[in-house]
Amino acid sequence: MTRGRLSDSALPSLPSEVLVPAYDRASITPGIVHLGVGAFHRAHQAAYVDACLADGESDWGITGVSLRSPDTRDALAPQDGLYTLAIRDSAGEQLEVVGSILSLLVAPENPDAVLAALTDPRTRIVTLTITEKAYLRAADGTLDGAHPDIVHDLANPGSPKTAHGFLAEALARRRAAGTPAFTVLCCDNLPANGATLHRLLIEFAKLRASRGNADGRPLAGYIADEVAFPSSMVDRIVPATTDADRTRIAQQLSLEDAWPVMTEPFRQWVIEDRFPAGRPAWEKFGVTMVEDVGPFEDMKLRLLNGAHSGIAYLGLLSGHATVDRAFADPSIRQFVDLLWAEAIPTLPQDAGLDPIPYMAELADRFSNTALAHRTAQIANDGSQKLPQRIIASALARLEAGLLPEHLSLVVAAWIAAGAARGKTLPEGHFTDPLDAALADLFGRNLSTAEIAAAVFDLAGFAKGHPERRKLIELVATHLVHFKQGGPKLAFAALGIGNEPPRPAE
């Protein structure tokens, strides 16, 4: 059966139970440029903005930018930027069509168009979800000035490849034209993400100056003093869309949607309220506007994201393809409780946030069988994710004289899962920016202790920290257990499976 395609003209034909944009899309003007227009953005920020547009805030439409692949543009442009958001849990599925993305650009194809959108005076906010690795940080957290894309952008400021290059060039052009700066809102899982991106962009601007770009040094000062970089914390589980999802959605719509997005009912967005050029009234739709995002960020990174990484690597090593199946494994379930018990004392104790109901909610979310969130998807880019999700908590415990037994096991599980690819796990089952160096390392005749130390050196984990050696030793001990008996022995060495979970300290 041949179906039509989701589009503006097709909206009136959709079934009545499908929610559609409650506003005239033709009257919406762009006010936000989003870099990294992937599935998470479409399930999270774009959905919040959609609600604001329906409330009459017509000047906050989104221009989506893909920094690498044309896939999202190719899927959504024939659909007028529309897509279906499928909100799924055990009770069923609610479909809603989101209309907040007005246009889509592909940076490698037309950097001039991206710069034109960024310098448009109507653009007052630039949001980013480009993943941790796209911030191009060196092992010490500073900007990797030797990265080929950074080198390219410094030599070719008018045709950049990176988010840093686009932001810096756009701000330089706006400043020269007398156009007020936009606010830069980072929505990635980086610690103090706004301040981190602010620092990286200042470093990039200073490099522009050192390479002979006359505006570089003044631009660095301008970015430092006059451009707002509020921090934010985002939370919504968004599994990868499958062909089966596309088929199911098409049947329900009686229309083809090339790229629907799957998600859960839960969503959270906490934002530092610092927007000199204005912002949508996000707080009307559940966004928490605060002075300090830090405590929310720490709780989410260390409890949700840390547990997610543990579930992913232990799930892969235990043969579980999805989070719900891994979380249903009694040993992994017990491990997560113990991991949370270790992480809780490292959280801010005076922020008024209660981790107990938060963890109960996480347990319900991890058990959602309708999402089929793949462990291999979460496993990607561990070298970039583990420092803020696991390493920071582990070091905090060591500083307090406490052992991070379960936190360090997650690092060992990441190493073991990486080494298992091409053996007990498929080659390329998940990826990491350090894959080439890791493959070389795993191919050498090294002891387990040497492997653990070498991985820490490669990834820059705990660099310069006085407790680094102790953490490496703990990871190496777990690696021995994984090598000798897999997750079962690693769990048994911690008493998992033999006793009930210990209470939080």
Side-chain angles (χ1 to χ4, degrees), residues 189 234 296-305 358:
N189 287 322
V234 299
F296 297 89
E297 174 188 85
D298 286 343
M299 189 161 74
K300 187 254 183 173
L301 283 170
R302 299 186 182 190
L303 298 185
L304 184 147
N305 296 123
Y358 183 69

Side-chain angles (χ1 to χ4, degrees), residues 408-427:
S408 57
L409 187 137
V410 176
V411 183
W414 167 62
I415 297 171
R421 288 175 297 178
K423 299 172 184 175
T424 57
L425 291 174
E427 189 75 45

Side-chain angles (χ1 to χ4, degrees), residues 210-488:
S210 71
R211 303 299 169 90
N213 190 320
D215 74 352
R217 195 165 301 281
L219 178 62
Y222 175 72
I223 293 171
D225 299 335
E226 299 187 42
V227 184
F229 287 75
S231 288
S232 75
M233 187 277 283
V234 299
D235 189 3
R236 198 170 207 183
I237 295 172
V238 185
T241 301
T242 66
D243 288 340
D245 293 326
R246 289 182 174 88
T247 298
R248 186 185 70 259
I249 299 301
Q251 290 172 345
Q252 295 181 65
L253 297 179
S254 295
L255 290 170
E256 298 290 342
D257 181 347
W259 208 331
V261 178
M262 309 300 113
T263 193
E264 60 175 337
F266 179 90
R267 65 178 184 175
Q268 186 180 23
W269 199 3
V270 183
I271 306 176
E272 180 186 356
D273 198 359
R274 191 157 54 92
F275 291 81
R279 63 168 177 82
W282 283 312
E283 66 273 16
K284 291 184 179 180
F285 305 100
V287 176
T288 305
M289 307 301 300
V290 298
E291 292 185 8
D292 183 10
V293 173
F296 297 89
E297 174 188 85
D298 286 343
M299 189 161 74
K300 187 254 183 173
L301 283 170
R302 299 186 182 190
L303 298 185
L304 184 147
N305 296 123
H308 246 172
S309 289
I311 292 167
Y313 300 120
L314 293 169
L316 288 171
L317 292 168
S318 302
H320 302 303
T322 61
V323 169
D324 61 287
R325 293 178 187 174
F327 198 61
D329 182 320
S331 293
I332 294 178
R333 178 68 181 86
Q334 186 178 345
F335 172 81
V336 171
D337 283 337
L338 293 166
L339 183 74
W340 283 337
E342 283 192 353
I344 286 173
T346 74
L347 298 174
Q349 301 300 302
D350 58 352
L353 300 179
D354 187 350
I356 303 304
Y358 183 69
M359 290 186 297
E361 189 170 51
L362 289 180
D364 288 340
R365 295 169 68 193
F366 293 162
S367 301
N368 186 345
T369 59
L371 280 184
H373 197 186
R374 296 186 64 80
T375 47
Q377 179 187 358
I378 300 168
N380 288 323
D381 305 330
S383 66
Q384 305 291 303
K385 295 175 178 176
L386 291 180
Q388 52 267 23
R389 297 182 177 198
I390 297 294
I391 302 293
S393 300
L395 294 174
R397 283 188 67 84
L398 287 168
E399 290 169 359
L402 303 169
L403 283 179
E405 294 176 315
H406 303 85
L407 289 158
S408 57
L409 187 137
V410 176
V411 183
W414 167 62
I415 297 171
R421 288 175 297 178
K423 299 172 184 175
T424 57
L425 291 174
E427 189 75 45
H429 198 45
F430 60 92
T431 62
D432 193 279
L434 297 179
D435 272 344
L438 288 170
D440 176 70
L441 177 64
F442 296 146
R444 293 159 57 190
N445 187 24
L446 298 176
S447 70
T448 304
E450 289 171 331
I451 289 174
V455 169
F456 267 63
D457 288 341
L458 277 175
F461 292 163
K463 186 175 182 179
H465 197 283
E467 299 292 349
R468 184 174 188 266
R469 174 51 53 188
K470 179 60 178 177
L471 183 55
I472 292 174
E473 291 172 356
L474 288 168
V475 170
T477 299
H478 294 309
L479 274 177
V480 170
H481 296 148
F482 278 116
K483 185 175 181 180
Q484 293 177 346
K488 187 173 182 180

Side-chain angles (χ1 to χ4, degrees), residues 5-8 75-83 256-259:
R5 190 80 172 263
L6 180 64
S7 65
D8 282 330
L76 300 190
Q79 301 178 180
D80 301 319
L82 297 170
Y83 61 92
E256 298 290 342
D257 181 347
W259 208 331

